[in-house]
């Protein structure tokens, strides 16, 4: 395959952004999954012969709203939890006993030959009130830049399985809370609100048409030749059940 | 404005040492890892659990979301006060069935594309083990110019993850093609086996949102 093709560009971007960042990958794969689910539901609704055009006109905007809300909730919750997991492990807030010992012995040549233990928590950016706003030292980046022999034999083998596990756990927790706790309630509320609006609109439409029905039965001769002929009121009673 | 930092180092400052000769006015140094009282060292069980979870892939992630959904969402429908009792029971069974089918499909398709399809078009298992390998199509393989080969452990890890990434995205794209007919088949199956007795209903609207996001 030609190295400069569009496909290769996409594959390289996926490698750079997702393969080296598992939290980012779970976030994007889940969000794209929600969008894909919404699109396939829209296609299913559009091609469903059992639904009328009127029902489709209601269902399609509802499905789009649903998809947007679901995707946003998923992205917000998963991103937040992933960030917490990343900060905990890459800023040295949690570690295993083995890692704690390795941090004290592993030296970083490109940062003044200090140990990781000495470098953790250093160079913190603070605001004018002295409150910490950003951690500048990142353990994962430092481990990746270590000498391959040092990394292979020591810290890399211990650090990355633990770091990946922590980030994966927090990402999964965020996506479970979003998909299984928050989203069903929000979806039900929105769907219930939209259905009530639609039912109220249908009922109002039905009442308006009831008012325009002539009180004169169709079999009797019309007194006003310009009064239009209309069927009985019962024919305009709206159907209360909505299939979704 | 000049900021003067006195030299202080005790437990009351939560391990923060302030230097008055700091090269930048807006940076501070903190005590190192071993002395920071806020740092938590996890036990052996937690270490083992996190390490095992780190080896899992997206089918496991999908399974966790799906099984928790099966354990919770049918109960939400069962206790939904907006509809009558018969509709609640039917909705609960339909939700459980839809979630079961959606979860099983999601896991199976992801596993198929990650374990069988992606290795044919991306990095092979022999390449990951640094063994002589049979070459396949390299449509999903990253360019050599961006893969760092200095650290073999890191390269092996990232290329293995890349295989999972490509397999997952291709699986999602494939499910977009299979989902509409599968949704139709599932809906027809459920309508046939889990019918609501309309004589017992009160014509109130039925809310059925159980299968969204089941990719």
């Amino acid at each position: 395959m030609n190295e400069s093709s569009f496909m290769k560009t996409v594959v390289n971007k996926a490698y750079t952004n997702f393969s080296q960042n598992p939290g980012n990958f779970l976030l994007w794969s889940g969000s794209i999954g929600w969008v894909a689910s919404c699109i396939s539901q829209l296609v299913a609704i559009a091609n469903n012969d059992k639904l009328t055009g009127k029902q489709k006109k209601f269902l399609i905007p509802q499905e789009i709203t649903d998809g947007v809300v679901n995707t946003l909730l998923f992205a917000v919750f998963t991103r937040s939890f992933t960030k917490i997991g990343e900060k905990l492990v890459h800023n040295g807030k949690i570690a295993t006993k083995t890692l704690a010992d390795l941090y004290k012995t592993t030296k970083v040549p490109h940062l003044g030959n200090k140990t990781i233990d000495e470098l953790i928590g250093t160079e913190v950016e603070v605001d004018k009130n002295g409150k910490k706003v950003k951690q500048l030292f990142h353990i994962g980046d430092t481990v990746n830049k270590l000498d391959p022999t040092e990394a292979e034999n020591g810290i890399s083998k211990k650090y990355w399985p633990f770091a990946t596990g922590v980030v994966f756990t927090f990402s999964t927790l965020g996506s479970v809370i979003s998909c299984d706790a928050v989203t069903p309630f929000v979806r039900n509320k929105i769907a219930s609100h939209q259905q009530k609006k639609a039912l109220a609109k249908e009922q109002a439409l039905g009442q308006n048409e009831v008012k325009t029905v002539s009180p004169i039965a169709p079999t009797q001769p019309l007194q006003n030749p310009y009064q239009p002929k209309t069927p009985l009121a019962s024919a305009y009673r709206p159907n209360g059940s909505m299939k979704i | 404005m000049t900021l003067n930092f006195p030299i202080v180092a005790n437990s009351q400052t939560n391990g923060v040492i302030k230097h008055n000769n700091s090269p930048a006015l807006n940076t501070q140094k903190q005590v190192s890892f071993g002395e920071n009282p806020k740092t938590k060292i996890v036990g052996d069980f937690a270490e083992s659990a996190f390490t095992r979870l780190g080896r899992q892939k997206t089918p496991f992630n999908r399974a966790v979301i799906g099984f928790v959904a099966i354990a919770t969402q049918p109960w939400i429908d069962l206790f939904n006060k907006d509809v009558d009792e018969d509709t609640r029971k039917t909705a609960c069974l339909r939700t459980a069935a839809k979630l079961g089918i959606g979860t099983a499909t999601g896991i199976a398709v992801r596993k198929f594309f990650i374990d069988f399809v992606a290795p044919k078009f991306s990095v092979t298992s022999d390449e990951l083990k640094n063994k002589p390998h049979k070459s396949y199509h390299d449509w999903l393989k990253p360019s050599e110019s961006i893969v760092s080969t200095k650290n073999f452990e890191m390269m092996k890890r990232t290329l293995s993850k890349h295989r999972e990434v490509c397999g997952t995205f291709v699986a999602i794209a494939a499910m977009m093609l299979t989902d509409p007919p599968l949704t139709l088949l599932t809906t027809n199956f459920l309508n046939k086996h889990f019918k609501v007795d309309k004589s017992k209903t009160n014509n109130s609207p039925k809310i059925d949102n159980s299968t969204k996001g089941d990719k």
Side-chain angles (χ1 to χ4, degrees):
Chain A
M1 173 167 276
N2 185 359
E3 285 285 316
S4 60
S5 68
F6 173 73
M7 179 74 175
K8 207 47 136 178
T9 311
V10 170
V11 170
N12 288 344
K13 286 251 181 235
Y15 178 78
T16 316
N17 293 323
F18 300 136
S19 305
Q20 300 173 53
N21 193 338
N24 217 18
F25 166 56
L26 283 174
L27 169 67
W28 278 92
S29 66
S31 302
I32 290 171
W34 273 111
V35 171
S37 174
C38 177
I39 292 171
S40 34
Q41 293 279 343
L42 285 171
V43 168
I45 290 168
N47 291 331
N48 191 345
D49 297 330
K50 292 179 185 172
L51 294 172
T52 63
K54 195 176 165 191
Q55 285 175 326
K56 285 181 187 178
K57 273 186 190 171
F58 171 77
L59 290 173
I60 288 174
Q62 189 209 35
E63 187 58 44
I64 292 172
T65 311
D66 221 26
V68 168
V69 167
N70 294 341
T71 308
L72 279 174
L73 280 175
F74 178 85
V76 164
F77 273 84
T78 307
R79 177 95 175 127
S80 307
F81 277 78
T82 306
K83 275 287 175 196
I84 292 171
E86 283 175 354
K87 279 188 180 173
L88 282 175
V89 70
H90 293 318
N91 292 352
K93 295 294 180 194
I94 60 168
T96 63
K97 196 171 180 317
T98 319
L99 275 176
D101 295 333
L102 280 169
Y103 288 162
K104 288 178 185 165
T105 55
T106 306
K107 291 193 177 174
V108 184
H110 63 273
L111 287 175
N113 219 31
K114 291 182 179 175
T115 63
I116 291 181
D117 185 34
E118 288 169 343
L119 289 166
I120 283 176
T122 58
E123 301 309 318
V124 177
E125 212 172 283
V126 296
D127 61 12
K128 51 188 175 182
N129 298 324
K131 192 181 170 188
K132 185 171 88 173
V133 293
K134 196 176 175 182
Q135 182 77 44
L136 296 173
F137 179 73
H138 191 278
I139 300 178
D141 289 344
T142 306
V143 168
N144 282 341
K145 288 174 187 167
L146 284 176
D147 181 82
T149 318
E150 176 68 48
E152 272 182 53
N153 296 338
I155 196 165
S156 183
K157 264 190 176 174
K158 293 290 179 187
Y159 179 78
W160 279 113
F162 175 69
T164 308
V166 171
V167 173
F168 180 88
T169 304
F170 276 84
S171 292
T172 304
L173 188 63
S175 51
V176 164
I177 289 173
S178 149
C179 296
D180 300 332
V182 176
T183 303
F185 285 107
V186 171
R187 254 195 335 236
N188 278 350
K189 290 287 178 196
I190 293 174
S192 175
H193 173 71
Q194 285 177 327
Q195 280 183 336
K196 281 177 186 165
K197 251 174 65 176
L199 284 171
K201 196 176 170 185
E202 277 204 9
Q203 281 171 4
L205 208 68
Q207 281 173 4
N208 283 343
E209 287 177 344
V210 166
K211 282 180 191 166
T212 61
V213 170
S214 167
I216 303 167
T219 51
Q220 292 180 7
L222 294 171
Q223 291 179 359
N224 184 348
Y226 296 104
Q227 182 79 26
K229 267 192 187 178
T230 52
L232 292 170
S234 58
Y236 286 95
R237 191 167 300 129
N239 183 3
S241 62
M242 177 81 75
K243 291 177 184 60
I244 296 195
Chain B
M1 184 177 118
T2 308
L3 297 170
N4 293 318
F5 294 97
I7 299 174
V8 177
N10 55 42
S11 59
Q12 290 174 354
T13 59
N14 288 328
V16 175
I17 298 177
K18 301 177 185 180
H19 294 269
N20 59 7
N21 289 326
S22 183
L25 289 174
N26 62 348
T27 59
Q28 292 182 350
K29 288 194 180 293
Q30 290 185 344
V31 292
S32 60
F33 180 80
E35 298 166 26
N36 192 336
K38 287 185 182 175
T39 305
K40 172 94 180 139
I41 295 182
V42 300
D44 293 338
F45 176 75
E47 178 183 353
S48 167
F50 280 130
T51 309
R52 284 164 78 96
L53 284 169
R55 287 198 284 264
Q56 302 304 324
K57 297 180 184 173
T58 47
F60 178 82
N61 180 272
R62 180 68 185 88
V64 169
I65 293 172
F67 287 131
V68 173
I70 291 170
T72 56
Q73 289 187 24
W75 298 104
I76 295 172
D77 284 342
L78 193 62
F79 293 107
N80 182 6
K81 301 293 179 201
D82 290 336
V83 295
D84 59 277
E85 194 178 330
D86 200 57
T87 307
R88 271 183 241 160
K89 283 181 190 169
T90 310
C92 171
L93 290 168
R94 284 170 61 100
T95 301
K98 277 185 181 179
L99 287 171
I101 294 168
T103 304
T105 314
I107 295 169
V109 175
R110 275 176 175 79
K111 205 145 171 62
F112 172 71
F113 277 92
I114 289 171
D115 291 344
F116 298 106
V117 175
K120 299 279 188 273
F121 298 97
S122 182
V123 183
T124 63
S125 300
D126 286 334
E127 278 177 291
L128 290 175
K129 292 171 191 166
N130 212 15
K131 287 181 182 173
H133 53 273
K134 191 176 175 183
S135 60
Y136 292 101
H137 293 286
D138 60 352
W139 291 338
L140 300 178
K141 203 186 272 193
S143 302
E144 285 180 17
S145 54
I146 64 164
V147 177
S148 168
T149 54
K150 287 181 187 173
N151 184 339
F152 183 72
E153 277 293 323
M154 189 176 108
M155 187 180 82
K156 196 169 83 169
R157 193 183 65 244
T158 52
L159 286 174
S160 176
K161 194 72 185 171
H162 178 73
R163 210 161 73 174
E164 182 195 337
V165 167
C166 292
T168 303
F169 284 126
V170 173
I172 291 174
M175 281 190 276
M176 279 186 69
L177 296 173
T178 60
D179 210 49
L182 190 65
T183 305
L184 198 60
L185 280 171
T186 311
T187 311
N188 290 341
F189 169 80
L190 291 170
N191 283 338
K192 195 175 162 189
H193 289 89
F194 298 110
K195 273 185 194 165
V196 176
D197 188 354
K198 288 192 177 176
S199 62
K200 293 182 187 175
T201 63
N202 59 1
N203 274 345
S204 55
K206 298 169 190 52
I207 301 167
D208 184 7
N209 295 310
S210 53
T211 58
K212 304 294 171 56
D214 287 341
K215 284 279 169 290

